[in-house]
Amino acid sequence: KAEAQVARTKRVAHLRQVAGLTGRLAGMRLSNLKRVPGIGTAINAAEAYVDAWPQSGGLILQGPFGCGKTHLAAAIGNEIIERHRACVKFYPGFELLEAIRRGYGTDDTVAEDCARAGLFICDDLGNERIARDEHGDWAREQFFRIFYWRELKELPVVITTNYGLEELGEHIGMQHSAACWGCAAGR
């Protein structure tokens, strides 16, 4: 029994590492969130999301900087890893684009890994700089590829953003964003 527990602990640690839930993110749990006014609804949505996983579809956590969106998203990822030993990918939007850029011309498949993971969490989507002209098409295409693939395969996604749905959709070139991502907004 002790060997099984050690193996489980190692597996969970490995899954967290692969997910990108390291450092402070590794310790974030739904149970250690303070239920302050205004965040209770979002915590309830996150708990319901975890309980319904993998049938939970998508969740968008929208709100101002510093309100706890990243903590909620990381907590969801940690809970999914611990309960289901599922493959999770956690990327802030700007880091995702940089990782994809670095992988061009190599065997790196960052976008494919995000598209196929059991759960993809895109943190702070909309805060990356994307040109408003044709120079931004590459970045918008990367997000579209990932979200399109996940939507086709009915794979769950969690998104955090500071922007409203319409503004976010315009920024990343998916004007009907919530419908395309299969998400329900959680505020």
Side-chain angles (χ1 to χ4, degrees):
K1 195 171 186 177
E3 287 180 27
Q5 182 60 32
V6 168
R8 178 189 182 282
T9 301
K10 284 183 180 181
R11 175 75 176 145
V12 167
H14 172 74
L15 286 170
R16 263 199 203 98
Q17 183 75 30
V18 169
L21 292 167
T22 58
R24 286 184 43 222
L25 296 173
M28 295 179 176
R29 301 288 183 286
L30 294 172
S31 62
N32 62 18
L33 271 162
K34 294 181 179 135
R35 290 189 178 263
V36 297
I39 195 171
T41 302
I43 293 172
N44 292 340
E47 289 170 340
Y49 186 89
V50 169
D51 289 342
W53 196 86
Q55 289 79 31
S56 43
L59 179 66
I60 296 178
L61 300 166
Q62 184 269 328
F65 177 78
C67 71
K69 298 179 305 293
T70 297
H71 188 134
L72 275 170
I76 289 169
N78 284 315
E79 298 279 345
I80 297 300
I81 288 171
E82 289 170 8
R83 291 186 195 185
H84 303 283
R85 312 294 181 278
C87 177
V88 173
K89 289 292 179 182
F90 180 101
Y91 273 101
F94 60 89
E95 283 185 20
L96 175 61
L97 291 176
E98 184 56 33
I100 293 169
R101 243 186 226 110
R102 281 193 313 265
Y104 268 14
T106 69
D107 289 338
D108 192 17
T109 57
V110 173
E112 290 176 18
D113 289 346
C114 291
R116 291 184 171 94
L119 173 62
F120 174 54
I121 302 170
C122 191
D123 190 36
D124 280 332
L125 184 61
N127 286 337
E128 55 287 314
R129 288 192 297 178
I130 298 178
R132 296 210 178 266
D133 57 17
E134 68 277 357
H135 299 292
D137 287 348
W138 177 87
R140 284 188 286 275
E141 181 181 324
Q142 302 315 304
F143 287 122
F144 180 78
R145 279 182 16 182
I146 292 167
F147 292 124
Y148 178 76
W149 175 264
R150 295 191 68 78
E151 197 268 331
L152 283 179
K153 300 294 182 180
E154 297 179 340
L155 294 170
V157 62
V158 172
I159 296 168
T160 73
T161 185
N162 297 340
Y163 300 97
L165 293 178
E166 286 185 32
E167 186 179 13
L168 177 64
E170 285 178 27
H171 178 71
I172 65 169
M174 295 175 71
Q175 282 71 17
H176 304 291
S177 54
C180 292
W181 302 327
C183 291
R187 295 175 194 258

